[in-house]
Amino acid sequence: MPTKAVTDASFEDDVLKSDKPVLVDFWADWCGPCKMIGPALEEISEELVDKVTIAKMDIMANTDVPGQIGVKSIPLMVLFKDGKPVAQKLGAAPKSALKGWLEGEL
């Protein structure tokens, strides 16, 4: 399953009310490191499809949720379980590191 785009309007239903964990990647089009990890997150989304949903939120188009969560730097990945943030990772990393971190948190 490819990554899912979420917005301020869809965040509650897509993330907080999800029946499985959701990793939200807060990103922006002008962010080089965000673009670097994009393909890796797409691949991880396919590989872990039964365990986690990977969502992406453009912080330039959606400012409410990032403001509430306190996003100050990107890329920021926040893992939500049962509607609550349980882990986060700031900055770009190789696919193996991202997947290893995520699997360790699931």
Side-chain angles (χ1 to χ4, degrees), residues 54-91:
I54 298 183
K56 297 177 72 68
M57 178 175 273
D58 181 344
I59 65 163
M60 300 306 290
N62 302 280
T63 58
D64 292 345
V65 169
Q68 292 166 6
I69 292 174
V71 176
K72 297 195 182 350
S73 296
I74 54 172
L76 176 66
M77 290 155 280
V78 180
L79 179 64
F80 289 83
K81 286 184 186 175
D82 301 318
K84 296 180 175 39
V86 295
Q88 66 180 37
K89 182 166 184 58
L90 178 63

Side-chain angles (χ1 to χ4, degrees), residues 4-24 53-57 80:
K4 178 177 192 159
V6 295
T7 64
D8 284 337
S10 71
F11 186 81
E12 183 174 351
D13 286 336
D14 290 342
V15 178
L16 301 182
K17 293 182 179 177
S18 176
D19 58 352
K20 68 179 178 179
V22 181
L23 179 71
V24 181
T53 298
I54 298 183
K56 297 177 72 68
M57 178 175 273
F80 289 83

